[in-house]
Coordinates of all heavy atoms in Angstrom, one line a residue:
M825 N 12.1 1.4 8.7 CA 12.7 0.5 7.7 C 12.0 -0.8 7.5 O 11.5 -1.4 8.5 CB 14.2 0.3 8.0 CG 14.4 -0.2 9.5 SD 16.0 -0.8 9.8 CE 15.8 -2.6 9.4
G826 N 11.9 -1.3 6.3 CA 11.3 -2.6 6.0 C 9.8 -2.7 6.3 O 9.3 -3.8 6.4
K827 N 9.2 -1.6 6.5 CA 7.8 -1.7 6.8 C 7.0 -2.2 5.5 O 7.3 -1.7 4.4 CB 7.2 -0.3 7.2 CG 7.4 0.0 8.6 CD 6.5 1.3 9.0 CE 6.8 1.7 10.4 NZ 6.2 3.0 10.7
K828 N 6.0 -3.0 5.8 CA 5.3 -3.6 4.6 C 3.9 -3.1 4.6 O 3.0 -3.8 4.2 CB 5.3 -5.1 4.7 CG 6.7 -5.7 4.5 CD 6.7 -6.8 3.4 CE 8.1 -7.1 3.0 NZ 8.2 -8.0 1.9
E829 N 3.7 -1.8 5.0 CA 2.3 -1.4 5.0 C 1.9 -0.6 3.8 O 0.7 -0.2 3.7 CB 2.1 -0.5 6.3 CG 3.0 0.7 6.3 CD 2.9 1.4 7.7 OE1 2.6 0.7 8.7 OE2 3.3 2.6 7.8
H830 N 2.8 -0.5 2.8 CA 2.4 0.1 1.6 C 1.4 -0.8 0.8 O 1.7 -1.9 0.4 CB 3.6 0.4 0.7 CG 4.2 1.7 1.0 ND1 3.5 2.9 1.0 CD2 5.5 2.0 1.3 CE1 4.4 3.8 1.3 NE2 5.6 3.4 1.5
K831 N 0.3 -0.2 0.5 CA -0.7 -1.0 -0.4 C -1.1 0.0 -1.5 O -1.1 1.2 -1.2 CB -1.9 -1.3 0.4 CG -1.6 -2.2 1.6 CD -1.9 -3.6 1.3 CE -1.6 -4.5 2.5 NZ -1.4 -5.9 2.2
F832 N -1.5 -0.5 -2.6 CA -2.0 0.4 -3.6 C -3.1 1.2 -3.1 O -3.3 2.4 -3.5 CB -2.4 -0.3 -4.9 CG -1.2 -0.8 -5.7 CD1 -1.4 -1.9 -6.5 CD2 0.0 -0.2 -5.5 CE1 -0.3 -2.3 -7.3 CE2 1.1 -0.7 -6.3 CZ 0.9 -1.7 -7.1
R833 N -3.9 0.6 -2.3 CA -5.1 1.2 -1.9 C -4.9 2.6 -1.2 O -5.7 3.5 -1.2 CB -5.9 0.3 -0.9 CG -6.7 -0.8 -1.6 CD -7.8 -0.2 -2.4 NE -8.9 0.2 -1.5 CZ -9.8 -0.7 -1.1 NH1 -9.8 -2.0 -1.4 NH2 -10.7 -0.3 -0.2
S834 N -3.7 2.7 -0.6 CA -3.4 4.0 0.1 C -3.1 5.1 -0.9 O -2.9 6.2 -0.5 CB -2.3 3.8 1.1 OG -1.2 3.2 0.5
F835 N -3.0 4.7 -2.1 CA -2.7 5.8 -3.1 C -4.0 6.2 -3.9 O -3.9 7.0 -4.8 CB -1.6 5.3 -4.1 CG -0.3 5.0 -3.4 CD1 0.0 3.7 -3.1 CD2 0.5 6.0 -3.0 CE1 1.2 3.4 -2.5 CE2 1.7 5.8 -2.4 CZ 2.0 4.5 -2.1
F836 N -5.1 5.5 -3.6 CA -6.3 5.8 -4.3 C -7.5 6.0 -3.3 O -7.5 5.5 -2.2 CB -6.7 4.6 -5.2 CG -5.7 4.4 -6.3 CD1 -4.7 3.5 -6.1 CD2 -5.8 5.1 -7.5 CE1 -3.8 3.2 -7.2 CE2 -4.9 4.8 -8.5 CZ -3.9 3.9 -8.4
T837 N -8.4 6.8 -3.8 CA -9.7 6.9 -3.0 C -10.8 6.3 -3.9 O -10.8 6.5 -5.1 CB -10.0 8.3 -2.6 OG1 -11.2 8.3 -1.8 CG2 -10.1 9.3 -3.7
L838 N -11.6 5.5 -3.3 CA -12.6 4.8 -4.1 C -14.0 5.5 -4.2 O -14.4 6.1 -3.3 CB -12.8 3.4 -3.6 CG -11.6 2.5 -3.4 CD1 -11.9 1.1 -2.9 CD2 -10.8 2.4 -4.8
T839 N -14.6 5.3 -5.4 CA -15.9 5.9 -5.6 C -16.7 5.0 -6.6 O -16.1 4.1 -7.2 CB -15.9 7.3 -6.1 OG1 -17.2 7.8 -6.1 CG2 -15.2 7.5 -7.4
E840 N -18.0 5.2 -6.7 CA -18.7 4.3 -7.6 C -18.2 4.5 -9.1 O -17.9 5.6 -9.5 CB -20.2 4.7 -7.6 CG -20.9 4.4 -6.3 CD -20.8 2.9 -5.9 OE1 -20.9 2.1 -6.8 OE2 -20.5 2.6 -4.7
H841 N -18.1 3.4 -9.8 CA -17.7 3.4 -11.2 C -18.9 3.7 -12.0 O -20.0 3.1 -11.8 CB -17.1 2.1 -11.5 CG -16.2 2.1 -12.7 ND1 -16.7 2.3 -14.0 CD2 -14.9 1.9 -12.9 CE1 -15.7 2.3 -14.8 NE2 -14.6 2.0 -14.2
P842 N -18.8 4.6 -13.0 CA -20.0 5.0 -13.8 C -20.5 3.8 -14.7 O -21.7 3.7 -14.9 CB -19.5 6.1 -14.7 CG -18.0 6.0 -14.7 CD -17.6 5.4 -13.4
T843 N -19.6 3.0 -15.2 CA -20.1 1.9 -16.1 C -19.8 0.5 -15.6 O -20.4 -0.4 -16.1 CB -19.4 2.1 -17.5 OG1 -18.0 2.1 -17.2 CG2 -19.8 3.3 -18.2
N844 N -19.0 0.4 -14.6 CA -18.6 -1.0 -14.1 C -19.2 -1.2 -12.7 O -18.7 -0.6 -11.8 CB -17.1 -1.1 -14.1 CG -16.6 -2.4 -13.8 OD1 -17.2 -3.2 -13.1 ND2 -15.4 -2.8 -14.3
K845 N -20.2 -2.1 -12.6 CA -20.9 -2.3 -11.4 C -20.1 -3.1 -10.4 O -20.2 -3.0 -9.2 CB -22.2 -2.9 -11.6 CG -23.2 -2.0 -12.4 CD -23.7 -0.9 -11.6 CE -24.6 0.1 -12.4 NZ -24.5 1.5 -12.0
S846 N -19.2 -4.0 -10.9 CA -18.5 -4.9 -10.0 C -17.2 -4.3 -9.5 O -16.7 -4.8 -8.5 CB -18.3 -6.2 -10.7 OG -17.7 -6.0 -12.0
N847 N -16.7 -3.3 -10.1 CA -15.4 -2.7 -9.6 C -15.6 -1.2 -9.4 O -16.2 -0.5 -10.2 CB -14.3 -3.0 -10.5 CG -13.9 -4.4 -10.6 OD1 -13.4 -4.9 -9.6 ND2 -14.1 -5.1 -11.7
K848 N -15.0 -0.7 -8.3 CA -15.1 0.7 -8.0 C -14.1 1.5 -8.9 O -13.1 0.9 -9.4 CB -14.8 0.9 -6.5 CG -15.8 0.3 -5.6 CD -16.4 1.3 -4.7 CE -17.5 0.6 -3.9 NZ -18.4 1.5 -3.3
K849 N -14.3 2.8 -8.9 CA -13.4 3.7 -9.6 C -12.3 4.1 -8.6 O -12.7 4.5 -7.5 CB -14.2 4.8 -10.1 CG -13.6 5.9 -10.9 CD -14.7 6.8 -11.5 CE -14.2 8.2 -11.7 NZ -15.3 9.0 -12.3
A850 N -11.1 4.0 -8.9 CA -10.0 4.3 -7.9 C -9.4 5.6 -8.4 O -8.7 5.7 -9.5 CB -9.0 3.2 -7.9
I851 N -9.6 6.7 -7.7 CA -9.0 8.0 -8.0 C -7.7 8.2 -7.4 O -7.6 8.0 -6.1 CB -10.0 9.1 -7.7 CG1 -11.4 8.8 -8.2 CG2 -9.5 10.5 -8.2 CD1 -12.5 9.7 -7.6
C852 N -6.7 8.6 -8.2 CA -5.4 8.7 -7.7 C -5.2 9.9 -6.7 O -5.6 11.0 -7.0 CB -4.5 8.9 -8.9 SG -2.8 9.4 -8.5
I853 N -4.7 9.6 -5.5 CA -4.6 10.7 -4.5 C -3.5 11.7 -4.9 O -3.7 12.9 -4.7 CB -4.3 10.0 -3.1 CG1 -5.6 9.4 -2.7 CG2 -3.8 11.1 -2.1 CD1 -5.5 8.6 -1.4
C854 N -2.5 11.3 -5.6 CA -1.5 12.3 -6.1 C -2.1 13.2 -7.0 O -1.8 14.4 -7.0 CB -0.3 11.5 -6.7 SG 0.6 10.5 -5.6
C855 N -3.0 12.7 -7.9 CA -3.7 13.6 -8.9 C -4.7 14.5 -8.2 O -4.9 15.7 -8.6 CB -4.4 12.8 -9.9 SG -3.2 12.1 -11.1
I856 N -5.4 14.0 -7.2 CA -6.3 14.8 -6.4 C -5.5 16.0 -5.7 O -6.0 17.1 -5.8 CB -7.0 14.0 -5.3 CG1 -8.0 13.0 -6.0 CG2 -7.8 14.9 -4.4 CD1 -8.7 12.0 -5.0
E857 N -4.4 15.7 -5.2 CA -3.6 16.7 -4.5 C -3.1 17.8 -5.6 O -3.1 18.9 -5.3 CB -2.4 16.1 -3.9 CG -2.7 15.4 -2.6 CD -1.6 14.7 -1.9 OE1 -0.5 14.6 -2.5 OE2 -1.8 14.1 -0.8
A858 N -2.9 17.3 -6.8 CA -2.4 18.2 -7.8 C -3.5 19.0 -8.5 O -3.3 20.2 -8.8 CB -1.6 17.4 -8.9
N859 N -4.7 18.4 -8.7 CA -5.7 19.0 -9.4 C -7.0 19.3 -8.7 O -7.8 20.1 -9.1 CB -6.1 18.1 -10.6 CG -5.0 17.7 -11.5 OD1 -4.2 18.6 -11.9 ND2 -4.8 16.4 -11.7
G860 N -7.1 18.7 -7.5 CA -8.4 18.9 -6.8 C -9.3 17.7 -7.1 O -9.3 17.2 -8.2
Y861 N -10.1 17.3 -6.1 CA -11.0 16.1 -6.3 C -12.0 16.2 -7.4 O -12.1 15.3 -8.2 CB -11.7 15.8 -5.0 CG -12.6 14.6 -5.0 CD1 -12.0 13.4 -4.8 CD2 -14.0 14.7 -5.2 CE1 -12.8 12.2 -4.8 CE2 -14.7 13.6 -5.3 CZ -14.2 12.3 -5.1 OH -15.0 11.2 -5.1
E862 N -12.6 17.4 -7.5 CA -13.7 17.5 -8.6 C -13.1 17.4 -10.0 O -13.8 16.8 -10.8 CB -14.3 18.9 -8.4 CG -15.2 19.0 -7.2 CD -16.3 18.0 -7.2 OE1 -17.0 17.7 -8.2 OE2 -16.5 17.4 -6.1
I863 N -11.9 17.8 -10.2 CA -11.3 17.7 -11.5 C -10.8 16.3 -11.7 O -11.0 15.6 -12.7 CB -10.2 18.7 -11.7 CG1 -10.8 20.1 -11.8 CG2 -9.3 18.4 -12.9 CD1 -9.8 21.3 -11.8
A864 N -10.1 15.7 -10.7 CA -9.5 14.4 -10.8 C -10.5 13.3 -11.0 O -10.3 12.4 -11.8 CB -8.7 14.1 -9.5
K865 N -11.7 13.4 -10.4 CA -12.7 12.3 -10.5 C -13.2 12.2 -11.9 O -13.7 11.2 -12.3 CB -13.8 12.5 -9.5 CG -14.9 13.5 -9.7 CD -15.9 13.4 -8.7 CE -16.9 14.5 -8.7 NZ -17.7 14.7 -9.9
D866 N -13.2 13.3 -12.7 CA -13.8 13.3 -14.0 C -12.7 13.3 -15.1 O -13.0 13.2 -16.3 CB -14.7 14.5 -14.3 CG -15.9 14.4 -13.4 OD1 -16.4 13.3 -13.2 OD2 -16.4 15.4 -12.9
N867 N -11.4 13.3 -14.7 CA -10.3 13.2 -15.7 C -9.8 11.8 -15.8 O -9.3 11.2 -14.8 CB -9.2 14.2 -15.2 CG -8.1 14.3 -16.2 OD1 -7.9 13.4 -17.1 ND2 -7.4 15.4 -16.2
K868 N -9.9 11.3 -17.0 CA -9.5 9.9 -17.2 C -8.1 9.6 -16.9 O -7.7 8.4 -16.7 CB -9.8 9.4 -18.7 CG -11.3 9.1 -18.9 CD -11.4 8.1 -20.0 CE -12.7 7.3 -19.9 NZ -12.8 6.3 -20.9
D869 N -7.2 10.6 -16.9 CA -5.8 10.4 -16.6 C -5.6 10.3 -15.1 O -4.5 10.1 -14.6 CB -5.0 11.6 -17.1 CG -4.9 11.6 -18.6 OD1 -5.1 10.5 -19.2 OD2 -4.7 12.7 -19.2
C870 N -6.6 10.6 -14.3 CA -6.5 10.7 -12.8 C -7.1 9.5 -12.1 O -7.0 9.4 -10.9 CB -7.1 12.0 -12.3 SG -6.3 13.4 -13.0
W871 N -7.7 8.6 -12.8 CA -8.3 7.4 -12.1 C -8.2 6.2 -13.0 O -8.0 6.2 -14.2 CB -9.8 7.7 -11.7 CG -10.7 8.0 -12.9 CD1 -11.0 9.2 -13.4 CD2 -11.5 7.0 -13.6 NE1 -11.9 9.1 -14.5 CE2 -12.2 7.7 -14.6 CE3 -11.7 5.7 -13.5 CZ2 -13.1 7.1 -15.5 CZ3 -12.5 5.0 -14.4 CH2 -13.3 5.7 -15.3
T872 N -8.4 5.1 -12.3 CA -8.4 3.8 -13.0 C -9.4 2.9 -12.4 O -10.1 3.3 -11.4 CB -7.0 3.1 -13.0 OG1 -7.0 2.0 -13.8 CG2 -6.6 2.8 -11.6
T873 N -9.6 1.7 -12.9 CA -10.5 0.8 -12.3 C -9.8 0.1 -11.1 O -8.7 -0.2 -11.2 CB -11.0 -0.3 -13.3 OG1 -11.6 0.4 -14.4 CG2 -12.0 -1.3 -12.7
N874 N -10.6 -0.1 -10.0 CA -9.9 -0.6 -8.8 C -9.6 -2.1 -8.9 O -10.2 -2.9 -8.2 CB -10.8 -0.3 -7.6 CG -10.1 -0.7 -6.3 OD1 -8.9 -0.6 -6.2 ND2 -10.9 -1.3 -5.3
I875 N -8.7 -2.5 -9.7 CA -8.2 -3.8 -9.8 C -6.7 -3.7 -9.7 O -6.1 -2.8 -10.2 CB -8.6 -4.4 -11.2 CG1 -10.1 -4.6 -11.4 CG2 -7.9 -5.8 -11.4 CD1 -10.5 -5.0 -12.8
F876 N -6.2 -4.6 -8.9 CA -4.8 -4.6 -8.5 C -3.9 -4.3 -9.6 O -3.1 -3.3 -9.5 CB -4.5 -6.0 -7.9 CG -3.4 -5.9 -6.8 CD1 -3.7 -5.3 -5.6 CD2 -2.2 -6.5 -7.0 CE1 -2.8 -5.3 -4.6 CE2 -1.3 -6.5 -6.0 CZ -1.6 -5.9 -4.8
K877 N -3.9 -5.0 -10.7 CA -3.0 -4.8 -11.8 C -3.2 -3.5 -12.5 O -2.3 -2.9 -13.0 CB -3.0 -6.0 -12.8 CG -4.3 -6.2 -13.5 CD -4.1 -7.4 -14.4 CE -5.5 -7.7 -15.1 NZ -5.4 -8.9 -16.0
Y878 N -4.4 -3.0 -12.6 CA -4.7 -1.7 -13.2 C -4.1 -0.6 -12.3 O -3.6 0.4 -12.9 CB -6.2 -1.5 -13.3 CG -6.9 -2.3 -14.4 CD1 -6.2 -3.2 -15.2 CD2 -8.2 -2.1 -14.7 CE1 -6.8 -4.0 -16.1 CE2 -8.9 -2.9 -15.7 CZ -8.1 -3.8 -16.4 OH -8.7 -4.5 -17.4
C879 N -4.3 -0.7 -11.0 CA -3.7 0.3 -10.1 C -2.2 0.4 -10.2 O -1.6 1.4 -10.3 CB -4.1 0.0 -8.7 SG -5.9 0.2 -8.4
K880 N -1.6 -0.8 -10.3 CA -0.2 -0.8 -10.5 C 0.3 -0.2 -11.8 O 1.2 0.7 -11.8 CB 0.3 -2.3 -10.5 CG 1.8 -2.5 -10.5 CD 2.1 -3.9 -10.7 CE 3.6 -4.1 -10.8 NZ 4.3 -4.6 -9.7
L881 N -0.4 -0.6 -12.9 CA 0.0 0.0 -14.2 C -0.3 1.5 -14.1 O 0.5 2.3 -14.7 CB -0.9 -0.6 -15.2 CG -0.5 -0.5 -16.7 CD1 0.8 -1.2 -16.9 CD2 -1.7 -1.0 -17.6
Y882 N -1.4 1.9 -13.5 CA -1.7 3.3 -13.4 C -0.5 4.1 -12.7 O -0.1 5.1 -13.2 CB -3.0 3.6 -12.7 CG -3.2 5.0 -12.5 CD1 -3.9 5.8 -13.5 CD2 -2.7 5.7 -11.4 CE1 -4.0 7.1 -13.4 CE2 -2.9 7.1 -11.2 CZ -3.5 7.8 -12.2 OH -3.6 9.1 -12.1
L883 N -0.1 3.6 -11.6 CA 0.9 4.3 -10.8 C 2.2 4.4 -11.6 O 2.9 5.4 -11.5 CB 1.1 3.7 -9.5 CG 0.0 3.8 -8.4 CD1 0.4 3.1 -7.1 CD2 -0.3 5.3 -8.1
K884 N 2.5 3.4 -12.3 CA 3.7 3.4 -13.2 C 3.7 4.5 -14.2 O 4.8 5.0 -14.5 CB 3.9 2.1 -13.9 CG 4.6 1.0 -13.2 CD 4.8 -0.2 -14.1 CE 5.7 -1.3 -13.4 NZ 5.8 -2.5 -14.2
N885 N 2.5 4.9 -14.6 CA 2.4 5.9 -15.7 C 2.0 7.3 -15.2 O 2.0 8.2 -16.0 CB 1.4 5.4 -16.7 CG 1.9 4.2 -17.5 OD1 3.1 4.1 -17.8 ND2 1.1 3.2 -17.6
C886 N 1.6 7.4 -13.9 CA 1.1 8.6 -13.4 C 2.2 9.7 -13.2 O 3.1 9.4 -12.4 CB 0.3 8.4 -12.2 SG -0.3 10.0 -11.5
L887 N 2.1 10.8 -13.8 CA 3.1 11.8 -13.7 C 3.1 12.4 -12.3 O 4.1 12.8 -11.7 CB 2.9 12.9 -14.7 CG 3.2 12.5 -16.2 CD1 2.9 13.7 -17.1 CD2 4.7 12.0 -16.3
N888 N 1.9 12.6 -11.7 CA 1.8 13.2 -10.4 C 2.4 12.2 -9.3 O 3.0 12.6 -8.4 CB 0.4 13.5 -10.0 CG -0.1 14.7 -10.8 OD1 0.6 15.7 -11.0 ND2 -1.3 14.6 -11.4
F889 N 2.2 10.9 -9.5 CA 2.8 9.9 -8.6 C 4.3 10.0 -8.8 O 5.0 10.0 -7.8 CB 2.3 8.5 -9.0 CG 2.9 7.4 -8.2 CD1 2.6 7.2 -6.9 CD2 3.9 6.6 -8.8 CE1 3.2 6.2 -6.1 CE2 4.5 5.6 -8.1 CZ 4.1 5.4 -6.7
S890 N 4.8 10.0 -10.0 CA 6.3 9.9 -10.2 C 7.0 11.2 -9.8 O 8.1 11.2 -9.5 CB 6.6 9.5 -11.6 OG 6.1 10.4 -12.5
S891 N 6.2 12.3 -9.8 CA 6.9 13.6 -9.3 C 6.8 13.7 -7.8 O 7.6 14.4 -7.2 CB 6.2 14.8 -10.0 OG 4.9 14.9 -9.6
K892 N 5.9 13.0 -7.2 CA 5.8 13.1 -5.7 C 6.8 12.1 -5.0 O 7.3 12.5 -4.0 CB 4.4 12.7 -5.3 CG 4.2 12.8 -3.8 CD 2.7 12.8 -3.4 CE 2.6 12.8 -1.9 NZ 1.2 12.9 -1.4
Y893 N 7.0 11.0 -5.6 CA 7.9 10.0 -5.0 C 9.2 9.9 -5.8 O 9.2 9.9 -7.0 CB 7.3 8.6 -4.9 CG 6.1 8.6 -4.0 CD1 4.8 8.8 -4.6 CD2 6.2 8.4 -2.7 CE1 3.7 8.9 -3.7 CE2 5.1 8.5 -1.8 CZ 3.8 8.7 -2.4 OH 2.7 8.7 -1.6
I894 N 10.3 9.9 -5.1 CA 11.6 9.7 -5.8 C 11.6 8.3 -6.4 O 10.9 7.4 -5.9 CB 12.8 9.9 -4.9 CG1 12.8 9.0 -3.7 CG2 12.9 11.4 -4.4 CD1 14.1 8.9 -2.9
E895 N 12.5 8.1 -7.3 CA 12.4 6.8 -8.1 C 12.6 5.6 -7.2 O 12.0 4.6 -7.3 CB 13.5 6.8 -9.2 CG 13.2 5.8 -10.3 CD 14.1 6.0 -11.5 OE1 14.5 7.2 -11.8 OE2 14.3 5.0 -12.2
E896 N 13.5 5.7 -6.2 CA 13.7 4.6 -5.3 C 12.4 4.2 -4.5 O 12.1 3.0 -4.3 CB 14.8 4.9 -4.3 CG 16.2 4.7 -4.8 CD 17.2 5.2 -3.8 OE1 17.0 5.2 -2.6 OE2 18.3 5.6 -4.2
E897 N 11.7 5.2 -4.1 CA 10.5 5.0 -3.4 C 9.4 4.3 -4.3 O 8.7 3.4 -3.9 CB 9.9 6.3 -2.9 CG 10.6 6.8 -1.6 CD 10.1 8.1 -1.2 OE1 10.0 9.0 -2.0 OE2 9.7 8.2 0.0
Q898 N 9.4 4.8 -5.6 CA 8.5 4.2 -6.6 C 8.8 2.7 -6.8 O 7.9 1.9 -6.8 CB 8.6 4.9 -7.9 CG 8.1 6.3 -7.9 CD 8.4 7.0 -9.2 OE1 8.2 6.4 -10.3 NE2 8.8 8.2 -9.2
V899 N 10.0 2.4 -6.9 CA 10.4 1.0 -7.1 C 10.0 0.2 -5.9 O 9.5 -0.9 -6.1 CB 12.0 0.9 -7.4 CG1 12.4 -0.5 -7.3 CG2 12.3 1.6 -8.7
E900 N 10.3 0.8 -4.8 CA 9.9 0.1 -3.5 C 8.4 -0.2 -3.4 O 8.0 -1.3 -3.1 CB 10.4 0.9 -2.3 CG 10.4 0.1 -1.0 CD 10.9 1.0 0.1 OE1 11.9 1.8 -0.2 OE2 10.4 0.9 1.2
I901 N 7.7 0.8 -3.7 CA 6.2 0.7 -3.7 C 5.7 -0.3 -4.6 O 4.9 -1.2 -4.3 CB 5.5 2.1 -3.9 CG1 5.8 3.0 -2.7 CG2 4.0 1.9 -4.2 CD1 5.5 4.5 -3.1
L902 N 6.2 -0.2 -5.9 CA 5.7 -1.2 -6.9 C 6.2 -2.6 -6.7 O 5.5 -3.6 -7.0 CB 6.1 -0.7 -8.3 CG 5.4 0.7 -8.7 CD1 5.9 1.2 -9.9 CD2 3.9 0.5 -8.8
A903 N 7.4 -2.7 -6.1 CA 8.0 -4.0 -5.9 C 7.3 -4.8 -4.8 O 7.0 -6.0 -4.9 CB 9.5 -3.9 -5.5
L904 N 6.9 -4.0 -3.7 CA 6.2 -4.7 -2.6 C 4.9 -5.3 -3.1 O 4.6 -6.4 -2.7 CB 5.8 -3.6 -1.6 CG 6.9 -3.3 -0.6 CD1 6.3 -2.2 0.3 CD2 7.3 -4.5 0.2
D905 N 4.2 -4.7 -4.0 CA 3.0 -5.2 -4.5 C 3.2 -6.3 -5.5 O 2.3 -7.2 -5.6 CB 2.1 -4.1 -5.0 CG 1.6 -3.2 -3.9 OD1 0.7 -3.6 -3.2 OD2 2.2 -2.1 -3.7
E906 N 4.3 -6.3 -6.2 CA 4.6 -7.4 -7.0 C 4.7 -8.7 -6.2 O 4.2 -9.7 -6.6 CB 6.0 -7.2 -7.7 CG 6.3 -8.1 -8.8 CD 5.8 -7.6 -10.2 OE1 6.3 -6.6 -10.6 OE2 4.9 -8.3 -10.7
E907 N 5.4 -8.6 -5.1 CA 5.4 -9.8 -4.2 C 4.1 -10.3 -3.8 O 3.8 -11.4 -3.8 CB 6.1 -9.4 -2.8 CG 7.6 -9.5 -2.9 CD 8.3 -8.9 -1.6 OE1 7.6 -9.0 -0.5 OE2 9.4 -8.4 -1.7
E908 N 3.2 -9.3 -3.5 CA 1.9 -9.7 -3.1 C 1.1 -10.4 -4.2 O 0.4 -11.4 -4.0 CB 1.1 -8.4 -2.7 CG 0.6 -8.5 -1.3 CD 0.1 -7.1 -0.9 OE1 0.8 -6.2 -0.6 OE2 -1.2 -7.0 -0.8
I909 N 1.3 -9.9 -5.4 CA 0.6 -10.5 -6.6 C 1.1 -11.9 -6.7 O 0.3 -12.8 -6.9 CB 0.9 -9.7 -7.9 CG1 0.2 -8.4 -7.9 CG2 0.5 -10.5 -9.1 CD1 0.6 -7.4 -9.0
N910 N 2.4 -12.1 -6.6 CA 3.0 -13.4 -6.8 C 2.5 -14.4 -5.7 O 2.1 -15.6 -6.0 CB 4.5 -13.4 -6.7 CG 5.1 -12.8 -8.0 OD1 4.4 -12.8 -9.0 ND2 6.3 -12.3 -7.9
S911 N 2.3 -13.9 -4.5 CA 1.9 -14.8 -3.4 C 0.4 -15.2 -3.6 O -0.1 -16.3 -3.3 CB 2.1 -14.2 -2.0 OG 1.1 -13.2 -1.8
I912 N -0.4 -14.2 -4.2 CA -1.8 -14.5 -4.5 C -1.9 -15.6 -5.6 O -2.6 -16.5 -5.5 CB -2.5 -13.2 -4.9 CG1 -2.7 -12.3 -3.7 CG2 -3.9 -13.6 -5.5 CD1 -3.1 -10.9 -4.1
K913 N -1.0 -15.4 -6.7 CA -1.0 -16.3 -7.8 C -0.7 -17.7 -7.3 O -1.3 -18.7 -7.7 CB 0.0 -15.9 -8.8 CG -0.6 -14.9 -9.9 CD 0.5 -14.7 -10.9 CE 0.1 -13.6 -11.8 NZ 1.2 -13.1 -12.6
K914 N 0.4 -17.8 -6.5 CA 0.9 -19.1 -6.0 C -0.2 -19.8 -5.2 O -0.5 -21.0 -5.4 CB 2.1 -18.9 -5.1 CG 3.4 -19.1 -5.8 CD 4.5 -18.9 -4.8 CE 5.8 -18.3 -5.5 NZ 6.7 -17.7 -4.6
K915 N -0.9 -19.0 -4.4 CA -2.0 -19.6 -3.6 C -3.1 -20.2 -4.5 O -3.5 -21.3 -4.2 CB -2.6 -18.5 -2.7 CG -2.3 -18.7 -1.2 CD -3.0 -17.7 -0.4 CE -2.0 -16.8 0.3 NZ -2.6 -15.6 0.9
S916 N -3.5 -19.4 -5.5 CA -4.6 -19.9 -6.3 C -4.2 -21.1 -7.1 O -5.0 -22.0 -7.4 CB -5.2 -18.8 -7.1 OG -4.2 -18.3 -7.9
C917 N -2.9 -21.1 -7.5 CA -2.4 -22.3 -8.3 C -2.4 -23.5 -7.5 O -2.8 -24.6 -7.9 CB -1.0 -22.0 -8.8 SG -0.9 -21.2 -10.3
T918 N -1.9 -23.4 -6.2 CA -1.9 -24.5 -5.3 C -3.3 -25.1 -5.1 O -3.4 -26.3 -5.2 CB -1.3 -24.1 -4.0 OG1 -0.2 -23.3 -4.2 CG2 -0.8 -25.3 -3.2
T919 N -4.2 -24.2 -4.9 CA -5.6 -24.7 -4.7 C -6.1 -25.4 -5.9 O -6.7 -26.5 -5.8 CB -6.5 -23.5 -4.4 OG1 -5.8 -22.6 -3.5 CG2 -7.8 -23.9 -3.7
Y920 N -5.8 -24.8 -7.0 CA -6.3 -25.4 -8.3 C -5.6 -26.8 -8.5 O -6.3 -27.8 -8.8 CB -5.9 -24.5 -9.4 CG -6.4 -24.9 -10.8 CD1 -7.7 -24.6 -11.2 CD2 -5.6 -25.7 -11.6 CE1 -8.2 -25.0 -12.4 CE2 -6.1 -26.1 -12.9 CZ -7.4 -25.8 -13.2 OH -7.9 -26.2 -14.4
N921 N -4.3 -26.8 -8.3 CA -3.6 -28.1 -8.6 C -3.9 -29.2 -7.7 O -4.0 -30.4 -8.1 CB -2.1 -27.8 -8.5 CG -1.6 -27.0 -9.7 OD1 -2.2 -27.0 -10.8 ND2 -0.5 -26.3 -9.6
S922 N -4.2 -28.9 -6.4 CA -4.5 -29.9 -5.5 C -5.9 -30.6 -5.8 O -6.2 -31.7 -5.3 CB -4.5 -29.4 -4.0 OG -5.6 -28.5 -3.9
K923 N -6.7 -29.9 -6.6 CA -8.0 -30.5 -6.9 C -7.9 -31.5 -8.0 O -8.7 -32.4 -8.1 CB -8.9 -29.4 -7.4 CG -9.7 -28.7 -6.3 CD -10.7 -27.7 -6.9 CE -11.6 -27.1 -5.8 NZ -12.5 -26.1 -6.4
Y924 N -6.9 -31.3 -8.9 CA -6.8 -32.2 -10.1 C -5.6 -33.0 -10.1 O -4.5 -32.6 -9.7 CB -6.9 -31.3 -11.3 CG -8.3 -30.6 -11.4 CD1 -8.3 -29.3 -10.9 CD2 -9.4 -31.3 -11.8 CE1 -9.6 -28.6 -11.0 CE2 -10.6 -30.6 -11.8 CZ -10.7 -29.3 -11.4 OH -11.9 -28.6 -11.4
Ligands
ZN2300 ZN1 -2.3 10.0 -10.7

């Protein structure tokens, strides 16, 4: 109970992005389980760019993710990371504001 070890990263496996050199391609593990790695890595519905908000948006829309986790778990997973996003935003704002 109350474990905070859920990270988006545990729902994706990373590989080189074909067109984006600065961000990796994050392949959805739920989709890999459903379709197999070879299919998932080339199917645009099964991967996203490895950026926090993209991963979050992806999981919200992924049918394999939503069929694997009950709605309560999905809310919990996505909510935990919302907290994390907010704490990151706050930090960067504070740093920015203290400079000016
Ligand atoms: Zn997926």
